[in-house]
Amino acid sequence: MFETPASQLPNAVSPSTETDATSRSDIFDGIKQGILLGAALLVLALPLFHARPHSSPAPQAVSPGTLQLAPTLHFADFGEEPASDEARQVANWVVSSGDNRRLFFVILDKLNTKVFVFEPSGKLRSATPVLIGAAVGDDSVIGIGGRPIAQVQPHERTTPAGRFMGEPGRNTLGEDVVWVDYDAAVSMHRVRTLEPKERRLERLASPRTDDNRISYGCINMPVAFFEDVLKPAFNASYGVIYVLPEVKPLAEVFPAAHALAGKQGLRPAA
């Protein structure tokens, strides 16, 4: 039987035409795959560009503490009462930082043998000359509070410097006192006149400060001042007592007070 060639059949496709169609199909498939691959890569890349937009600056490094605001300087109210630069700096820092925790606070200026008692707000209630430890120094000897007073050597009779939580109490003689450092047996109390030869009342009345060094470390003050000023401030309550140094630099004992004075353009005490 005679067979008609495939090239002559209706709708027949020649080999060359079929090859061309196959090539075009492969090309289109390649283009589609390329488009899909490009789209996938673009989707993956978009979050990277979104996370760091061109207009956003690079983050700046922040040193520790930079975001902490320094306390705003407030001034303690000394009224017309004379006071040293050191006493004013510590009092200003106390009211600026709130270090007194809204309690009455006391500043003892050992160099000038003077005590200042402040209201919680920083307003001076009153001030007075006082008697302090006979020996110059800013530290108590370890264990001195447990010794009989007769065993305390002259060079050990110091009034320690620093920040103390004061509280009312009684000493071994049954006297009501305000404890400064209970472990070292240092307190604030009424002036004692048991030994007339010590002339403690005369020393308090003297305008000098060198003769106000007579105690074993405690702070002696006029009876009226203790009764009318100090005792009511510590009546069944705590208070904060700041004893200024006389040997150490103020910056060593009260570094925050010294730093605040410097930042605010005040003349820091040495």
Side-chain angles (χ1 to χ4, degrees):
M1 175 185 285
F2 180 80
E3 293 182 357
T4 303
S7 58
Q8 296 181 11
L9 292 174
N11 301 322
V13 179
S14 66
S16 61
T17 302
E18 183 177 3
T19 301
D20 292 342
T22 302
S23 299
R24 286 196 297 271
S25 177
D26 291 342
I27 291 172
F28 287 138
D29 289 342
I31 292 173
K32 287 190 291 182
Q33 291 177 3
I35 291 174
L36 292 174
L37 179 60
L41 292 175
L42 182 61
V43 169
L44 293 174
L46 280 177
L48 298 178
F49 288 101
H50 179 71
R52 293 189 62 178
H54 179 71
S55 60
S56 298
Q60 300 297 317
V62 179
S63 59
T66 301
L67 300 180
Q68 296 179 1
L69 299 178
T72 302
L73 182 64
H74 297 286
F75 294 93
D77 184 3
F78 281 81
E80 300 298 322
E81 188 67 36
S84 66
D85 289 343
E86 291 84 354
R88 291 183 182 276
Q89 283 185 29
V90 172
N92 291 342
W93 163 68
V94 171
V95 298
S96 296
S97 64
D99 186 78
N100 61 316
R101 304 178 187 178
R102 299 182 181 178
L103 299 172
F104 282 89
F105 66 96
V106 174
I107 292 179
L108 168 57
D109 185 346
K110 289 201 292 178
L111 284 174
N112 294 290
T113 61
K114 191 172 184 179
V115 153
F116 303 86
V117 178
F118 289 88
E119 306 279 344
S121 64
K123 180 179 177 59
L124 181 69
R125 173 173 278 199
S126 191
T128 184
V130 291
L131 305 179
I132 63 173
V136 175
D138 293 323
D139 298 293
S140 293
V141 176
I142 297 175
I144 196 170
R147 289 196 219 160
I149 196 167
Q151 295 181 10
V152 178
Q153 301 300 312
H155 67 277
E156 297 176 330
R157 300 172 186 179
T158 56
T159 299
R163 179 189 186 277
F164 303 92
M165 287 300 297
E167 60 177 317
R170 291 190 176 275
N171 61 18
T172 55
L173 300 177
E175 299 172 321
D176 55 324
V177 301
V178 172
W179 289 109
V180 178
D181 186 343
Y182 183 84
D183 291 338
V186 175
S187 66
M188 294 187 290
H189 56 70
R190 304 167 186 84
V191 61
R192 289 179 181 158
T193 58
L194 300 177
E195 293 289 342
K197 64 181 181 180
E198 291 181 342
R199 301 178 294 107
R200 294 199 178 198
L201 292 179
E202 294 178 31
R203 291 171 183 270
L204 277 175
S206 167
R208 298 163 50 192
T209 58
D210 58 345
D211 63 352
N212 286 39
R213 312 195 68 114
I214 187 66
S215 79
Y216 281 75
C218 289
I219 299 96
N220 289 216
M221 56 185 55
V223 174
F225 189 90
F226 184 89
E227 296 286 352
D228 300 336
V229 179
L230 185 71
K231 188 176 178 180
F234 286 82
N235 185 25
S237 178
Y238 289 92
V240 188
I241 301 171
Y242 304 88
V243 182
L244 307 187
E246 56 185 339
V247 177
K248 298 177 181 179
L250 185 70
E252 181 179 339
V253 180
F254 297 105
H258 184 268
L260 181 61
K263 288 179 181 179
Q264 298 298 334
L266 302 179
R267 181 170 66 87

